[in-house]
Amino acid sequence: MLVALTGTFIIFFVAATLTSFGAGYHLTSASVNNISNNLSVETLVYVLGNENRYFKQSLPEGNEPFSVTPLMLQLTTNINTEDPRSLLGRELPGFSLFDGRILTAGEGVDYTSMPIESAPPMEVLLAEREASTERLEEIADLKESVAETDNLDDLPVTVHIIHTHNRESYLPELQNTSDPFHESVNITLAGERLGIELAKHGIRAEVDTTDIGAELNERSWRFSQSYEVSREIMEEAKQENEEIQFYFDLHRDSQPRENTTVELNGETYAQALFVIGENNPDYEKNKVLANKLHERLQEDYYGLSRGIFAPPVSEGSRNGVYNQDLSENALLVEFGGIENSLEEVYRTVEAFAEVFSDFYWEQQDKE
């Protein structure tokens, strides 16, 4: 009788505990997977070795026995004894900026150089600013020359390029301002240049230059809703063209020049960074593509890629998905930072187009 009463009490207690946290906080296969991802291979082998000693033979010499205490502390308090950010993030204002994960680190990259996503007020985003028109003329001339020499009209559009934060710009391109945003001289020029460079390699790309900032203002939406607008554009492109295989959302980081620039063969390049949204249930598939492109960039242009980053999903301007659930070949790519010039960004775009094109045609040959 005592055992039955105790068992019933435990069942009700556990059920009440699991349901009291509300939606999104109950035990799911995803949460179990998240916990297991934090366990090292040695820990898993050690646990299995308690049942079958044969497994322990594969453990490296001097490996310390698995300790349950740190794991239980993390499960009950969400504090990781090996990661001080798990404690400091709750105590220090603004420290949540460092809550993201570096999935793959480039040369010299650490948590102090993680990307910063700017979320300006709408009046700052839409303010009129002076900028040289030479950049616009350059792109127009390049597009015209490519159209004359490379006939891609018979090829399907297989790459879609979009700019969710389309007004992100670069300070060296602007005049008399400290706010790096502009209505025309901005990240969309990098997207157009990428489309031109891909065309040189026989790949037809569709470059969307919708002024999403203006669209947000027209709808009276917040900056954090930018990805809702870009999602509409991507879904429409996907419905209209089933041939599209890759989706690239181009951005500009807010980190200073020393964290976003590399010198290669005597020339400076704006570094690239891949961003993966871990709120996407299938983010691992997107991560596979990011890893392949990162490794190829490192092989051909060592130091050009800063790596692969998964931002914290708690920030208001980050939804943790970035529309990457629409395709396993959807990536967000940061090109340079606020203090890079478009000339440096263009060099990186050319290198990226070259590396991606090699990868693209290898995949086509396999099919």
Side-chain angles (χ1 to χ4, degrees):
M1 181 66 72
L2 180 61
V3 171
L5 290 174
T6 303
T8 302
F9 172 78
I10 292 175
I11 291 173
F12 276 95
F13 176 78
V14 172
T17 301
L18 292 177
T19 56
S20 63
F21 293 107
Y25 292 93
H26 54 280
L27 189 64
T28 63
S29 58
S31 59
V32 173
N33 178 64
N34 185 51
I35 294 171
S36 62
N37 283 338
N38 291 321
L39 297 177
S40 65
V41 175
E42 290 79 7
T43 298
L44 179 60
V45 172
Y46 183 84
V47 172
L48 293 174
N50 287 331
E51 297 298 324
N52 186 337
R53 293 184 180 275
Y54 177 79
F55 286 104
K56 289 189 177 182
Q57 296 179 12
S58 61
L59 290 171
E61 187 176 347
N63 183 73
E64 297 182 359
F66 168 64
S67 177
V68 178
T69 304
L71 178 60
M72 293 304 298
L73 179 64
Q74 185 173 355
L75 290 177
T76 55
T77 66
N78 209 23
I79 295 176
N80 185 349
T81 55
E82 297 181 357
D83 188 354
R85 296 176 303 151
S86 60
L87 174 62
L88 297 176
R90 294 180 176 82
E91 304 300 327
L92 300 179
F95 201 84
S96 59
L97 173 68
F98 301 97
D99 283 348
R101 293 204 304 147
I102 298 176
L103 302 180
T104 303
E107 181 68 25
V109 172
D110 55 30
Y111 283 104
T112 64
S113 58
M114 292 192 300
I116 301 173
E117 187 171 284
S118 51
M122 193 58 65
E123 59 269 19
V124 172
L125 185 67
L126 298 178
E128 294 292 334
R129 292 186 172 86
E130 296 181 26
S132 173
T133 59
E134 292 180 6
R135 296 299 187 187
L136 301 175
E137 295 169 359
E138 288 174 0
I139 288 293
D141 291 341
L142 281 172
K143 290 171 69 175
E144 185 176 344
S145 63
V146 169
E148 292 176 353
T149 58
D150 296 288
N151 185 11
L152 299 178
D153 292 341
D154 296 332
L155 296 178
V157 174
T158 54
V159 176
H160 181 82
I161 301 171
I162 195 170
H163 317 82
T164 297
H165 296 159
N166 67 290
R167 294 202 174 199
E168 289 179 335
S169 188
Y170 302 87
L171 287 175
E173 307 299 331
L174 307 181
Q175 303 171 14
N176 306 318
T177 183
S178 59
D179 294 319
F181 302 94
H182 195 271
E183 66 274 11
S184 55
V185 181
N186 51 43
I187 188 63
T188 61
L189 295 181
E192 297 221 55
R193 184 63 177 260
L194 179 56
I196 292 170
E197 295 302 322
L198 290 177
K200 293 178 181 178
H201 293 278
I203 302 173
R204 189 177 177 189
E206 177 182 69
V207 183
D208 183 271
T209 58
T210 301
D211 191 345
I212 292 180
E215 186 67 27
L216 289 172
N217 187 52
E218 185 176 330
R219 300 186 188 188
S220 298
W221 282 11
R222 301 182 306 276
F223 183 77
S224 59
Q225 294 176 284
S226 299
Y227 288 98
E228 296 180 34
V229 179
S230 60
R231 187 180 189 85
E232 294 175 5
I233 297 170
M234 290 176 64
E235 287 179 332
E236 183 178 352
K238 190 174 183 179
Q239 291 173 0
E240 293 181 353
N241 190 347
E242 297 180 354
E243 299 288 343
I244 296 178
Q245 301 175 30
F246 297 89
Y247 297 83
F248 294 131
D249 189 353
L250 272 51
H251 289 250
R252 179 266 299 145
D253 195 1
S254 292
Q255 283 279 7
R257 181 178 181 81
E258 59 266 22
N259 292 334
T260 61
T261 312
V262 66
E263 184 173 332
L264 301 172
N265 301 320
E267 292 188 313
T268 54
Y269 288 72
Q271 290 175 297
L273 175 71
F274 299 96
V275 177
I276 297 294
E278 290 188 306
N279 258 14
N280 169 23
D282 295 322
Y283 81 90
E284 288 285 357
K285 296 179 180 178
N286 303 78
K287 180 184 169 185
V288 168
L289 174 61
N291 261 318
K292 289 179 179 178
L293 295 181
H294 164 75
E295 290 170 359
R296 285 170 176 260
L297 280 173
Q298 291 295 81
E299 183 178 346
D300 296 346
Y301 299 89
Y302 187 77
L304 189 61
S305 173
R306 291 166 61 195
I308 306 170
F309 178 65
V313 297
S314 59
E315 295 182 33
S317 60
R318 287 171 163 157
N319 62 13
V321 177
Y322 309 114
N323 300 325
Q324 292 170 2
D325 56 329
L326 294 177
S327 169
E328 62 185 50
N329 289 327
L331 291 179
L332 190 157
V333 189
E334 306 257 9
F335 282 96
I338 55 175
E339 295 176 356
N340 286 112
S341 67
L342 272 172
E343 196 65 40
E344 293 169 331
V345 172
Y346 288 163
R347 292 190 188 113
T348 304
V349 166
E350 290 179 18
F352 180 86
E354 175 190 318
V355 168
F356 171 75
S357 298
D358 290 341
F359 168 79
Y360 174 89
W361 288 116
E362 286 178 15
Q363 299 304 305
Q364 301 305 306
D365 291 340
K366 290 179 182 179
E367 294 178 2

